[in-house]
Amino acid sequence: MSLVIRGARVVVGDGTVLPRADVHMKDDRIVTVGAHTPVSSDTVIEAFGRVLMPGFIDAHTHALWAGNRLDEYEQVQRGVAYLDILEAGGGILATVRAVRDMSEARLAENLRRRLSVMLEGGTTTVEVKSGYGLTTEHELKMLRAIRRAAQEFAGTVIPTALLGHTLEAGRPGLVDEVIDETLPAVHAEFPGIAVDAFCEKGAWSLADCRRLFEKARSLGHVIRVHTDQFTRLGGLDLALELGAMSVDHLEASTLDDLKKLAHSRTFGVMLPATGFHTDRRYANGRAFLDAGGKLALASNCNPGSAPTSSIPFVVALAIRHLGITNQEAIQAVTSSAAELLGLTDRGRVAEGYRADLVVLRHSDERQLGYEFGGNPVDVVVAGGKVVA
Amino acid sequence: MSLVIRGARVVVGDGTVLPRADVHMKDDRIVTVGAHTPVSSDTVIEAFGRVLMPGFIDAHTHALWAGNRLDEYEQVQRGVAYLDILEAGGGILATVRAVRDMSEARLAENLRRRLSVMLEGGTTTVEVKSGYGLTTEHELKMLRAIRRAAQEFAGTVIPTALLGHTLEAGRPGLVDEVIDETLPAVHAEFPGIAVDAFCEKGAWSLADCRRLFEKARSLGHVIRVHTDQFTRLGGLDLALELGAMSVDHLEASTLDDLKKLAHSRTFGVMLPATGFHTDRRYANGRAFLDAGGKLALASNCNPGSAPTSSIPFVVALAIRHLGITNQEAIQAVTSSAAELLGLTDRGRVAEGYRADLVVLRHSDERQLGYEFGGNPVDVVVAGGKVVA
């Protein structure tokens, strides 16, 4: 199995560009990237100067869910207050009920369809969180469904156990149950999986996050934290203290918070699709990068606050609302996102790297964020195979 | 040539829905729309409950251009003032220079590529304006390039002569030249084509628009007006006085303006992609519809203020920023847009109508505007043929 893409503008993913180069792949690896040379190969694709870049790496999604929130969104548009919707059983708990009612096999099929849309949009590596189960049984069901869908996916799925997503009325023991029962069960079946929690008013408190994370760490799990979306509860400081791999959201972070984060080894993950869909609040990407921060951008794909899986659109939002450049945004969805996920074999178009890449319809990579709304990806290669 | 799409959720385009129906097409027409009946046909596509709706009709685009404005956008992002960019020869006049430097054949090829992207995004009928020539020679070249690209397009292109787009330093006689020379030349070669102008400070004055439009009308041309984007110069009143087919933009219109327009036979065309890309100002679609207005939504596809051709994204913006519902937005990009363009044979999925339609990946048409950023169109049929 060998594949050559000829005559491309190669955007490496680390900030460098080769104005005209051929990319030669064998099996699932990139063999050479370089000057126009005659090669024989099973398959040859002519790029005609189009941009070739690493497949997108979407490092924060809730892409496994059941049901939808369309009725609820119509209520929001008619002016119904979000708290009233929550009290009527809507919001995240509506998705929790739908997930609990669905079998593992059907959940896997839901995810498989969404992964296929992502792949067409150029995303070859996707992080997918659990978190709509809220019980040991249903969290394990979600993680198993993610594993099942991942096995049929031409790209790569990285699962995350979002054990502290929200609370539930009538279950005062939920936090203890998650820490004492769900976490050990997840640990037994998915050792080493990242453990995540949403540190926010109405979701998990700082103290409960600390208990969850300290136990998770003692079991050898890495940690991610949803924090500072609406309220600065201290989740960022906790994350830094515990050496979390990332803190995600950061819309409510102060400049001092962003600087502190930038001076750590923890990644910041910004999710501008949520600002677009909900409240038009965006994290300050410019300040974070200027302070030297390690930034990943992700879709946050979920049925309530980010109904999208388009990384090109995330880039378009980032250059408009986060104050960052197209080139910075490209790194944040390729090499930096790979580093965040601990994947040293991808995120760059370079020899020895995994052959996950896309060819855009554009001949200038700045069009990726400049244009918006459609799918600019002409060709998708995952593991050395043309998959879209 | 016959084609059947079976088992679809048919969104007719006029506000009605058939929850499960088959659509039977022969040659370029829809023959029957109705209950699940066995038919024999050359081609059968199973919709499996996905939404089938009219192909999108994009009634306002500047999709023919040369060059790009990427350098300029980087300057905008670095905080350079738009007027400084204009003075340095940027903005619309940069595109004018690039169009003048390009041959008719290459312009047609540029447009052909953009039309192909539009078709993949579900747009089967596209209005395309001239307006980057500003001289008789180059306006005619643009209109000929549009005609040439249209001939190879599986969908339909409706050309518009945008004769009053902007002014040019060093050409005090431009307006007279357009009215006395360009308009008659366009009339001779493209009789009956709609004539358009941009009534705005720094563009065409109200008095000059009146002169252009009165002469155009006397030659039998219908009129469209870009007005009230930034400044209410009176273009809306002029349009109503002259019985224009549409007034386009309307971001600066007052509620009284919108009511006046709503009580006329002239369409309002709103272009939310421009608010998204530039200044986050949006027209008040809710007030206009509540007053009984006839609304079309369009992409405004152009290299400077709306680098998109995605009608699904226009719908997504409209339900978030214009205050209208998904169903209203769907009508505004199908049956209403057809009516605006005077096309009585399309914009509805109904017997006898032209077989221009799309199948979405969704089973609920509300997802069209709820989701955003990618391409939700699975199948495109134009003139009875599957083209994407």
Side-chain angles (χ1 to χ4, degrees):
Chain A
M1 275 295 299
S2 73
L3 170 66
V4 173
I5 302 183
R6 273 210 294 230
R9 177 175 169 85
V10 175
V11 173
V12 176
D14 60 359
T16 62
V17 173
L18 308 172
R20 200 81 167 193
D22 298 351
V23 177
H24 190 187
M25 291 156 269
K26 195 160 161 35
D27 301 323
D28 66 348
R29 295 289 138 176
I30 295 171
V31 181
T32 59
V33 181
H36 200 68
T37 47
V39 285
S40 68
S41 180
D42 298 337
T43 309
V44 177
I45 295 173
E46 297 290 345
F48 298 113
R50 286 176 293 175
V51 169
L52 181 157
M53 58 184 290
F56 306 129
I57 298 175
D58 191 347
H60 181 135
T61 88
H62 306 256
L64 174 55
W65 73 82
N68 67 60
R69 305 241 200 108
L70 294 168
D71 291 335
E72 190 178 295
Y73 191 64
E74 288 188 333
Q75 292 181 316
V76 170
Q77 288 186 299
R78 283 197 299 269
V80 178
Y82 186 65
L83 281 180
D84 292 337
I85 290 173
L86 273 184
E87 274 176 24
I92 194 172
L93 291 172
T95 301
V96 168
R97 281 194 305 277
V99 164
R100 287 179 181 163
D101 285 347
M102 191 173 273
S103 70
E104 180 191 319
R106 282 197 55 211
L107 285 171
E109 174 58 20
N110 269 9
L111 178 55
R112 195 197 57 71
R113 272 187 279 116
R114 286 190 200 111
L115 291 173
S116 148
V117 171
M118 289 172 161
L119 200 66
E120 280 168 33
T123 301
T124 50
T125 300
V126 190
E127 184 255 21
V128 183
K129 300 179 197 294
S130 68
Y132 294 120
L134 307 189
T135 66
T136 304
E137 173 193 355
H138 294 293
E139 284 298 307
L140 286 174
K141 179 178 72 175
M142 284 192 77
L143 290 170
R144 289 171 190 147
I146 294 169
R147 183 170 56 195
R148 191 192 279 220
Q151 282 159 359
E152 296 167 27
F153 182 49
T156 308
V157 173
I158 306 293
T160 294
L162 174 53
L163 299 185
H165 198 184
T166 189
L167 304 174
E168 196 174 7
R171 287 184 64 201
L174 183 150
V175 167
D176 286 340
E177 187 184 318
V178 166
I179 295 172
D180 298 336
E181 184 189 306
T182 311
L183 174 58
V186 166
H187 173 71
E189 194 168 334
F190 300 90
I193 194 172
V195 170
D196 198 343
F198 183 28
C199 183
E200 184 61 63
K201 273 186 192 165
W204 276 50
S205 73
L206 184 65
D208 289 339
C209 285
R210 176 181 287 278
R211 287 172 57 212
L212 173 69
F213 288 146
E214 287 187 340
K215 178 145 181 193
R217 225 176 40 152
S218 75
L219 292 170
H221 295 273
V222 288
I223 287 162
R224 301 184 64 171
V225 192
H226 289 65
T227 191
D228 292 18
Q229 182 178 5
F230 303 106
T231 324
R232 297 170 61 243
L233 289 187
L236 194 146
D237 286 326
L238 177 65
L240 297 186
E241 179 193 330
L242 298 180
M245 57 192 282
S246 74
V247 288
D248 303 48
H249 269 297
L250 306 173
E251 291 91 338
S253 301
T254 65
L255 288 179
D256 280 346
D257 292 333
L258 294 175
K259 276 184 196 157
K260 205 186 311 178
L261 175 58
H263 296 150
S264 78
R265 299 183 56 178
T266 297
F267 271 82
V269 180
M270 297 183 180
L271 309 164
T274 295
F276 176 77
H277 185 61
T278 62
D279 54 11
R280 295 160 207 177
R281 292 164 55 250
Y282 296 94
N284 192 338
R286 180 74 272 138
F288 183 56
L289 285 181
D290 285 346
K294 302 205 287 184
L295 175 67
L297 292 168
S299 71
N300 196 22
C301 176
N302 76 71
S305 72
T308 187
S309 62
S310 168
I311 291 295
F313 188 62
V314 168
V315 170
L317 287 171
I319 70 169
R320 285 168 179 80
H321 294 285
L322 308 192
I324 72 177
T325 67
N326 196 75
Q327 183 184 308
E328 289 165 338
I330 286 175
Q331 283 186 246
V333 297
T334 56
S335 55
S336 295
E339 190 187 339
L340 156 60
L341 293 175
L343 301 169
T344 55
D345 65 345
R346 69 193 71 192
R348 282 182 172 77
V349 180
E351 287 179 23
Y353 276 73
R354 193 175 151 82
D356 287 355
L357 50 85
V358 297
V359 178
L360 306 183
R361 68 165 178 260
H362 305 305
S363 55
D364 186 324
E365 62 277 12
R366 293 175 298 174
Q367 295 280 14
L368 181 65
Y370 186 69
E371 295 194 6
F372 51 84
N375 181 8
V377 175
D378 273 353
V379 180
V380 183
V381 175
K385 292 194 185 72
V386 177
V387 292
Chain B
M1 275 295 299
S2 73
L3 169 66
V4 173
I5 303 183
R6 273 209 295 229
R9 177 174 168 88
V10 175
V11 173
V12 176
D14 61 359
T16 62
V17 173
L18 308 172
R20 199 81 167 192
D22 298 351
V23 177
H24 189 185
M25 292 156 268
K26 197 163 158 37
D27 302 324
D28 66 347
R29 295 288 138 176
I30 296 170
V31 181
T32 59
V33 180
H36 200 65
T37 47
V39 285
S40 69
S41 179
D42 298 337
T43 309
V44 178
I45 295 172
E46 298 289 347
F48 297 113
R50 285 176 294 176
V51 169
L52 181 157
M53 58 183 291
F56 306 129
I57 298 174
D58 191 346
H60 181 134
T61 88
H62 306 256
L64 175 55
W65 74 81
N68 67 61
R69 306 241 200 110
L70 294 168
D71 291 335
E72 191 177 295
Y73 190 63
E74 289 188 331
Q75 292 180 316
V76 170
Q77 288 187 298
R78 283 198 299 269
V80 178
Y82 186 65
L83 281 180
D84 292 337
I85 289 173
L86 274 184
E87 275 177 24
I92 193 171
L93 290 171
T95 301
V96 167
R97 281 194 306 277
V99 165
R100 286 180 182 162
D101 285 346
M102 191 173 273
S103 69
E104 180 191 321
R106 282 197 56 210
L107 285 171
E109 174 59 19
N110 270 9
L111 177 56
R112 196 197 56 69
R113 272 187 279 118
R114 285 189 203 112
L115 291 173
S116 148
V117 171
M118 288 172 161
L119 200 65
E120 280 169 33
T123 300
T124 50
T125 299
V126 190
E127 185 255 21
V128 183
K129 300 180 196 292
S130 68
Y132 294 120
L134 308 189
T135 67
T136 303
E137 174 192 355
H138 294 293
E139 284 298 305
L140 286 174
K141 180 177 71 175
M142 284 192 78
L143 290 170
R144 289 172 190 146
I146 294 169
R147 182 169 57 195
R148 191 192 279 221
Q151 283 160 358
E152 296 167 27
F153 183 48
T156 307
V157 172
I158 306 292
T160 293
L162 173 53
L163 299 185
H165 198 183
T166 190
L167 303 174
E168 195 175 7
R171 288 184 63 201
L174 183 150
V175 168
D176 286 341
E177 186 183 318
V178 166
I179 295 171
D180 298 338
E181 185 189 304
T182 313
L183 175 58
V186 166
H187 173 71
E189 194 167 334
F190 300 89
I193 194 170
V195 170
D196 198 342
F198 182 28
C199 184
E200 184 61 63
K201 273 186 191 164
W204 275 50
S205 73
L206 184 65
D208 289 340
C209 285
R210 175 181 287 277
R211 287 170 56 212
L212 172 69
F213 288 146
E214 287 186 340
K215 179 144 181 194
R217 228 178 37 155
S218 75
L219 292 170
H221 295 274
V222 288
I223 286 162
R224 302 184 63 171
V225 192
H226 289 65
T227 192
D228 292 19
Q229 182 178 3
F230 302 106
T231 325
R232 296 169 61 244
L233 290 187
L236 194 146
D237 286 325
L238 177 66
L240 297 185
E241 179 193 330
L242 299 179
M245 56 192 285
S246 73
V247 288
D248 303 47
H249 269 297
L250 306 173
E251 291 91 339
S253 301
T254 65
L255 288 178
D256 280 346
D257 292 332
L258 293 176
K259 277 184 195 157
K260 206 186 312 178
L261 175 59
H263 297 152
S264 78
R265 300 183 56 177
T266 297
F267 271 82
V269 180
M270 296 183 180
L271 309 163
T274 295
F276 176 77
H277 184 63
T278 62
D279 55 12
R280 294 160 207 178
R281 293 164 55 250
Y282 296 94
N284 192 338
R286 180 75 271 137
F288 183 56
L289 285 181
D290 285 346
K294 302 206 287 184
L295 175 68
L297 291 169
S299 72
N300 195 23
C301 177
N302 77 70
S305 71
T308 187
S309 62
S310 168
I311 292 296
F313 188 62
V314 168
V315 170
L317 286 171
I319 70 169
R320 285 168 179 80
H321 294 285
L322 308 192
I324 71 178
T325 67
N326 196 75
Q327 183 183 307
E328 290 165 338
I330 285 175
Q331 283 186 244
V333 297
T334 57
S335 55
S336 295
E339 191 187 339
L340 156 61
L341 293 175
L343 301 169
T344 56
D345 65 344
R346 69 192 71 192
R348 282 182 173 75
V349 181
E351 286 179 24
Y353 276 74
R354 192 174 152 83
D356 288 353
L357 50 84
V358 296
V359 179
L360 306 183
R361 68 164 179 261
H362 306 304
S363 56
D364 186 324
E365 61 277 13
R366 292 176 298 174
Q367 296 280 15
L368 181 66
Y370 186 70
E371 295 194 5
F372 52 83
N375 181 7
V377 175
D378 273 353
V379 180
V380 183
V381 175
K385 292 194 184 72
V386 177
V387 292

